[in-house]
Amino acid sequence: MPHPAPDPQGHPEGGRAEARPAPHAGGGPPPLFAVLGHPVGHSLSPAMHEAGFAATGRRGRYVPCEVRPERLPAALAGLAALGFAGCNCTVPLKEEACRLATSRSAATLRAGSANTLAFGPDGDVRAATTDGPGLLAALRAEAGWRPAGRIALVLGAGGAARAVAAALADGGARAVVVCNRTAARARAVAEALGSPVRASEGTPEDPRAPELARADLVVNCTSVGMDGAASPLAREALAALAPGTLVADAVYTPREETPLLAAARGLGLPCMGGLPMLAWQAALAWEVWFGEQGPAPLFLAAARAALAAGRRA
Ligand SMILES: NC(=O)c1ccc[n+]([C@@H]2O[C@H](COP(=O)([O-])OP(=O)(O)OC[C@H]3O[C@@H](n4cnc5c(N)ncnc54)[C@H](OP(=O)(O)O)[C@@H]3O)[C@@H](O)[C@H]2O)c1
C-alpha cells in the first residue's frame, strides 16, 4: 500500500479522534468491523461494540480476528475486499497499521501508532489513534482532570506510552516526563515528540524523587501489572507523590484494580483504572467510523461485564 503525506486534519485539544467520518448506507448488510491482534482472544472490544450496536440501534457487526504481524497487509487488503467498514488494531499491530494506512492525521503520525482504521470505497485506508485521546477523555469524565498546564509522569516507552505522551502534549501539558526500564527507549520517545515531552533520568524501578513530587498525574503505560501481582512503582515511590496526584493505569487485566492502583488507593491517592480509557478509545473510534461519539458509559459497563464473565469462565 502507498504511504502518502499525513492527513492534516486533527484535533489539537486531544480527547477527540482525528479522522473524517465515513458515511454508511442504510440498506444492505450491516457495516462490518473487526479487531485485529495477536493474540486477540482476550479483547473486550467485541463485547463493547456489539453492546453499543444493540443498545443504540446503529447497524453494525464486530468480530475478533487473530492476525500475525507479518499477515497484516494481507489481512487489511482482505477486509477491504470483503467490504469491511473499519477495524481496530491491538498489540502488536498498531505501529504497522499506522505505516500501512493511506492517510493519517498529524496527531496519529506523531503518536506513531494507529488503533482505528476506516476503509474507504476507493481502497483508501484512513488511520487514527484514539488511545491517547481516549485516556484524556477518560481522565476528564472520571476525574475532571485536564492536561493544560499540568505535569505528567508517563511510565513506559512502548506504543501506549508514546500515544499517551503525544496526547498529553497536544492537550497542553506543561511537562510530560517519560520514564522507562530501558532508558534509551524513553529518550527515543522524547526525541520523536519534542518539547514538552522529555525523558526521565530515572527508571520506574529507580524513579527520581523531584519528578515524583512535581507530578500532577502518573500514568502506567508499561505492561507491568498484567500478572496481577507486580507494580511498576514501589510503595516508597508512590509515597513520594504529592497528595492529590492522580494515578492512572492503562492495564486492566486480570483485574481493573491493578497492584499499582491498590497501593495508590491505600495511600489515599485518587486513581483511575484502564477500563475507562478502553471505553473512551472505543467511543472515539465511533467518531472515526460514524461521525459521532459512541456511548462510552455503555461501553464501560459492557467491558466490566465481559471482564467479570471472563474471570468466571
Ligand atoms: N486501557 C487501554 O485502553 C489500553 C490501550 C493501550 C494499551 N494498554 C495497555 O498498556 C500496556 C502497554 O501496552 P503497549 O502497547 O505500550 O506495550 P509495549 O509497546 O509492548 O510496551 C511495553 C512497555 O512495558 C515495559 N515493560 C514490560 N515489562 C516490564 C517489566 N517487567 N518491568 C518494567 N517495564 C516493563 C516496556 O519496557 P522496555 O522498553 O524496557 O521493554 C515498555 O515500556 C499493556 O498492558 C496494554 O494492554 C491499554
Side-chain angles (χ1 to χ4, degrees), residues 58-72:
R58 182 176 282 288
R59 300 170 69 249
R61 294 309 310 266
Y62 191 106
V63 293
C65 297
E66 181 79 31
V67 175
R68 302 184 74 85
E70 66 275 15
R71 303 283 294 157
L72 185 60

Side-chain angles (χ1 to χ4, degrees), residues 29-61:
L32 300 174
F33 300 89
V35 56
L36 317 184
H38 179 69
V40 81
H42 68 287
S43 175
L44 301 176
S45 291
M48 289 193 293
H49 290 285
E50 287 282 331
F53 295 142
T56 63
R58 182 176 282 288
R59 300 170 69 249
R61 294 309 310 266

Side-chain angles (χ1 to χ4, degrees), residues 91 94-95 131 156-161 180-182 185 205 221-224 226 249-252 274-275 277-278 281:
V91 178
K94 293 180 187 181
E95 287 81 3
D131 279 336
N180 191 46
R181 173 179 64 177
T182 309
R185 289 190 77 197
E205 297 79 27
C221 294
T222 75
S223 41
V224 179
M226 294 181 76
D249 205 331
V251 174
Y252 52 80
L275 285 187
M277 174 181 174
L278 186 76
Q281 64 76 30

Side-chain angles (χ1 to χ4, degrees), residues 164-175:
V164 161
L168 286 164
D170 290 347
R174 179 148 56 100

Side-chain angles (χ1 to χ4, degrees), residues 90-216:
T90 187
V91 178
L93 308 175
K94 293 180 187 181
E95 287 81 3
E96 187 64 3
C98 185
R99 277 191 290 273
L100 290 171
T102 58
S103 67
R104 73 287 278 164
S105 70
T108 303
L109 203 57
R110 242 163 84 70
S113 74
N115 70 337
T116 304
L117 301 178
F119 300 105
D122 303 324
D124 57 307
V125 182
R126 289 181 293 112
T129 177
T130 67
D131 279 336
L135 175 75
L136 293 196
L139 289 170
R140 193 159 57 230
E142 298 283 315
W145 195 93
R146 288 176 166 76
R150 314 296 280 275
I151 298 178
L153 182 60
V154 177
L155 306 178
R162 181 165 159 159
V164 161
L168 286 164
D170 290 347
R174 179 148 56 100
V176 180
V177 182
V178 179
C179 182
N180 191 46
R181 173 179 64 177
T182 309
R185 289 190 77 197
R187 287 196 293 275
V189 169
E191 212 164 280
L193 295 177
S195 178
V197 181
R198 67 175 176 80
S200 168
E201 286 163 18
T203 65
E205 297 79 27
D206 181 21
R208 293 294 174 263
E211 291 171 352
L212 292 168
R214 286 189 205 120
D216 298 299

Side-chain angles (χ1 to χ4, degrees), residues 253-265:
T253 52
R255 278 176 300 282
E256 193 174 0
E257 174 129 308
T258 59
L260 171 70
L261 296 184
R265 219 180 286 282

